[in-house]
Amino acid sequence: MNIENTKAQMRKGVLEYCILSILRGEDKYASEILNSLKDAKMLVVEGTIYPLLTRLKNAGLLNYRWEESTSGPPRKYYTLTETGKLFLKELNITWDELRHAVNLVTNTKSK
């Protein structure tokens, strides 16, 4: 069994939650979202994030707007919709429950 594959699958399982959480505070364009994920050691490539952002938008959780950039082409800024905010609240509850359950099973403490 390949440990790297298992670790990648674990990260993929929480990627949508992480993206929605990143957008909870302010609108961001894809490169900013990608940088936030990389800063958090979530190893994600551009080819993964763009289809995911499109899927979240198509699900009604995100909107976007185009904004001119002083350093290149216009940028697509993503924002949470009201539905996305409610969805994120539910995911926060589920994450807390899941983290607690995993900590109990693995005998680790919450931070």
Side-chain angles (χ1 to χ4, degrees):
M1 189 149 194
N2 183 337
I3 188 68
E4 291 305 319
N5 185 47
T6 300
K7 288 164 44 173
Q9 290 302 315
M10 291 173 77
R11 283 190 295 271
K12 281 182 187 178
V14 297
L15 192 53
E16 288 181 16
Y17 177 51
C18 291
I19 289 171
L20 294 174
S21 295
I22 288 167
L23 291 170
R24 125 186 110 235
E26 63 180 306
D27 300 354
K28 293 188 184 281
Y29 62 99
S31 292
E32 290 177 312
I33 295 168
L34 199 54
N35 287 338
S36 294
L37 291 167
K38 286 180 180 178
D39 289 345
K41 307 295 187 244
M42 292 284 293
L43 308 173
V44 181
V45 295
E46 285 186 39
T48 300
I49 196 151
Y50 287 105
L52 184 50
L53 289 168
T54 299
R55 195 164 69 242
L56 293 170
K57 185 223 171 261
N58 290 344
L61 304 177
L62 300 180
N63 276 330
Y64 67 82
R65 71 179 189 289
W66 288 99
E67 206 171 282
E68 290 297 322
S69 169
T70 57
S71 61
R75 293 176 175 164
K76 189 187 284 189
Y77 279 83
Y78 292 89
T79 185
L80 287 176
T81 62
E82 287 305 312
T83 302
K85 290 175 185 175
L86 293 172
F87 192 82
L88 180 57
K89 274 187 179 181
E90 288 296 319
L91 288 180
N92 283 330
I93 293 167
T94 301
W95 179 253
D96 287 342
E97 291 169 350
L98 180 60
R99 185 178 60 217
H100 178 73
V102 170
N103 287 342
L104 284 175
V105 170
T106 59
N107 296 315
T108 57
K109 294 183 180 181
S110 291
K111 293 183 178 181

